[in-house]
Amino acid sequence: MTVRDLTMTATQADMLRSECASMGELEGACQILCSAIRLDDDPWSPSPTPDIDLRLAVHQVEPLPPGRVRRHRISVSWDMDCYIGLLRKARQQNLHPGICHSHPNSGAPFSRQDDENEAHLRDLLQRRNRNKEQVLTSLLFLGDGRIQARVWRATGAPEAAFVRVLGDTLTQASPLADHYETTADSAFLQRQALSIGLETVSLLQSLRVAVVGCGGTGSAVAVLLARAGIGRILLVDPDTVTETNLNRLHGSTRRDAEEAQPKVTVLKDHIEQMGLGTQIAVSRTALADAQVARLLRSCDVVFGCTDDHLGRLVLNRLAYFYYIPVIDTGLSVVPRTGNRTAHVSGRVTVLRPGIACLLCRGVVNPQRAREQGLRHSRPDEFTRQVKEGYITDSDIPTPVVGTFTTETAAAAVNELLAGIAGLRGDKGWASERTIRYDLDRCRPTGAQPRPGCSICSDQEIWGLGDVDPMLDLGAL
């Protein structure tokens, strides 16, 4: 088993820095609880998977009482009963304990004393909790701003972990340079490297990105991602190509429509024919299936290009449970009537903890999501309720133009660059951006989490990771 990375929110990173480095030149400390996600269904790994990856997410920050910490210039310690209390919480909540400290006066890595102390804490974890699956995470905040992380398993030496901080940007806070797959010397990426830098191009190559919904917007997103050098792309869509798709579905042909080829297959073949080295995985299962959500856990970023409420509801929860940023797209077209011009707008929303979710923005209708879930899980019952008038089957084809879906896709991929390449400096992602094609206007929009929202106001589910049922969808 290999630890792929550890993710925390920017708010958590600020809290930990404050706890660990608030004493000037004195070392500080804090405790954390993490969720651990076993990526035993990575879509790009061979089956059966020879080595399972592990992702960690900081779920809770547990500050130490001020009177229980002893701070010095070259060491820090705290009362053992604080750590024992952390182990008790980890056992009760099925989470994994972690410790944090700082080296405020240098960029020096973990010391020999750190090695000895943490090995003792790991052994204590195993003696008290008696769970060989539990791991001990150790975070080190260096004086130069970097964060180092490592993970102690039940036995053996610690394993270094790559650190990500998710806020207005997706910051790579770890000094592990060998995480990057530095193959950006490919000729097709040279001019891109001149624009956004070689390190960013290398980072793009290391990313695992999913595109959920491979229609007009999703197909354009996937092609743009491949041409940007994204290393691995997962395509998710259960549908086949029809003649009505041909005005906007990138890579499709009339023959594909006549043969009712799967959209993901057509798009996979199209991208692979580019010969740019992108690894493509596909899933023809609907997003309502929990198996698809499990596949998405392996991704670093997810693009939501589906137009159904149930699919958006699943992606909405994914962003908060797993700290995986979801760049959701939408297109609204109100046809021209009489002297009234058409209303055409595209939307790009970047979902992550700390901003309003799609429910609070009114993008997802929970009732429509439930109806679509019923149609997926119990089609006979769905048909009966439609006939009896309990459900209005309103899946009426909407007007759409290929240039609008493609421009929305480009805006969505630009948000990815804004979040990881500093495209807008320190501003990073816009929470939401709308493009009015009929008015030639593009502007950011805002929304606040509604008090009591079970997603973006309930921090108890942020970074919680795996639960049963998946994403707690049984609570809907």
Side-chain angles (χ1 to χ4, degrees):
M1 187 178 295
T2 302
V3 178
R4 181 180 296 180
D5 51 41
L6 178 145
T7 304
M8 68 185 77
T9 68
T11 300
Q12 290 170 335
D14 289 342
M15 290 177 62
L16 290 172
R17 283 195 177 93
S18 177
E19 291 293 325
C20 293
S22 61
M23 300 299 291
E25 295 186 350
L26 302 182
E27 292 192 9
C30 190
Q31 298 183 148
I32 56 175
L33 288 170
C34 299
S35 64
I37 302 101
R38 288 170 56 92
L39 304 180
D40 48 8
D41 41 19
D42 188 318
W44 297 280
S45 295
S47 183
T49 304
D51 188 23
I52 298 174
D53 282 356
L54 193 72
R55 302 194 94 160
L56 299 170
V58 177
H59 178 56
Q60 297 175 25
V61 174
E62 300 280 332
L64 293 162
R68 314 292 286 277
V69 183
R70 293 167 291 279
R71 306 171 186 265
H72 307 281
R73 283 182 56 86
I74 58 173
S75 67
V76 62
S77 61
W78 58 98
D79 292 352
M80 186 58 69
D81 59 350
C82 294
Y83 180 67
I84 292 174
L86 182 75
L87 300 187
R88 186 181 305 113
K89 285 186 177 181
R91 183 177 64 249
Q92 293 171 346
Q93 301 179 39
N94 195 29
L95 295 170
H96 301 257
I99 59 172
C100 315
H101 77 287
S102 62
H103 286 177
N105 303 308
S106 71
F110 290 97
S111 66
R112 182 176 301 178
Q113 188 63 50
D114 293 334
D115 296 343
E116 295 176 1
N117 293 342
E118 291 175 13
H120 171 69
L121 295 177
R122 183 269 310 276
D123 294 342
L124 180 59
L125 164 64
Q126 295 302 319
R127 288 197 303 272
R128 294 190 66 89
N129 287 10
R130 300 181 183 277
N131 182 353
K132 292 185 180 299
E133 294 296 317
Q134 275 193 316
V135 299
L136 173 66
T137 299
S138 175
L139 292 177
L140 174 60
F141 289 80
L142 302 174
D144 57 11
R146 295 177 299 159
I147 307 173
Q148 284 190 335
R150 60 183 184 180
V151 177
W152 292 81
R153 302 189 184 281
T155 59
E159 177 183 346
F162 187 71
V163 180
R164 308 188 315 161
V165 178
L166 175 59
D168 292 335
T169 62
L170 184 61
T171 304
Q172 313 303 312
S174 167
L176 299 179
D178 58 355
H179 176 83
Y180 298 122
E181 299 174 5
T182 53
T183 59
D185 55 349
S186 301
F188 87 96
L189 292 172
Q190 287 179 357
R191 294 196 180 188
Q192 181 167 292
L194 292 174
S195 175
I196 60 177
L198 181 61
E199 182 178 346
T200 300
V201 171
S202 297
L203 174 59
L204 292 175
Q205 290 185 296
S206 75
L207 290 180
R208 298 166 169 87
V209 179
V211 180
V212 179
C214 295
T217 306
S219 63
V221 165
V223 170
L224 288 170
L225 291 174
R227 295 200 179 278
I230 298 297
R232 298 174 181 86
I233 299 176
L234 170 64
L235 305 174
V236 179
D237 197 306
D239 295 333
T240 58
V241 180
T242 65
E243 187 173 1
T244 61
N245 300 140
L246 298 181
N247 74 317
R248 61 193 184 280
L249 187 62
H250 288 251
S252 65
T253 66
R254 180 169 295 278
R255 182 174 180 177
D256 294 327
E258 292 171 348
E259 296 178 354
Q261 291 291 329
K263 290 180 180 178
V264 292
T265 301
V266 169
L267 191 52
K268 178 178 185 291
D269 291 345
H270 179 66
I271 293 174
E272 289 180 342
Q273 287 172 9
M274 296 178 187
L276 303 180
T278 312
Q279 297 182 39
I280 303 293
V282 300
S283 173
R284 289 196 62 196
T285 306
L287 190 54
D289 193 311
Q291 177 59 30
V292 179
R294 284 192 283 268
L295 292 177
L296 297 179
R297 299 176 307 169
S298 295
C299 299
D300 301 305
V301 180
V302 173
F303 283 83
C305 304
T306 180
D307 57 3
D308 69 291
H309 292 268
L310 179 59
R312 284 198 172 110
L313 185 144
V314 172
L315 295 180
N316 193 52
R317 301 174 82 84
L318 183 87
Y320 295 84
F321 272 81
Y322 288 101
Y323 294 165
I324 298 174
V326 173
I327 304 177
D328 188 70
T329 66
L331 186 71
S332 173
V333 180
V334 179
R336 176 168 32 190
T337 56
N339 295 327
R340 182 179 178 180
T341 60
H343 174 118
V344 186
S345 64
R347 174 189 55 81
V348 178
T349 308
V350 185
L351 299 171
R352 71 273 188 198
I355 65 123
C357 70
L358 294 181
L359 288 166
C360 292
R361 295 176 185 275
V363 175
V364 172
N365 182 315
Q367 180 60 33
R368 291 288 292 128
R370 291 190 186 96
E371 293 171 0
Q372 291 167 355
L374 183 64
R375 180 170 56 184
H376 173 77
S377 61
R378 300 170 61 194
D380 293 342
E381 176 63 15
F382 175 81
T383 301
R384 184 189 69 79
Q385 293 194 24
V386 170
K387 289 180 178 179
E388 296 182 6
Y390 294 108
I391 294 176
T392 302
D393 190 4
S394 58
D395 287 341
I396 301 172
T398 56
V400 67
V401 178
T403 55
F404 301 150
T405 56
T406 299
E407 188 170 347
T408 302
V413 176
N414 282 338
E415 284 301 325
L416 174 68
L417 296 178
I420 68 172
L423 194 63
R424 302 188 188 110
D426 294 336
K427 291 179 63 176
W429 285 312
S431 295
E432 186 170 89
R433 189 175 298 275
T434 60
I435 308 167
R436 282 292 301 272
Y437 298 108
D438 53 315
L439 299 180
D440 191 25
R441 185 179 70 197
C442 177
R443 66 180 184 183
T445 56
Q448 295 298 317
R450 294 178 306 184
C453 176
S454 61
I455 301 299
C456 56
S457 291
D458 183 7
Q459 296 190 28
E460 288 301 312
I461 63 100
W462 293 7
L464 189 57
D466 292 337
V467 295
D468 187 18
M470 186 73 180
L471 297 174
D472 202 22
L473 288 171
L476 299 177

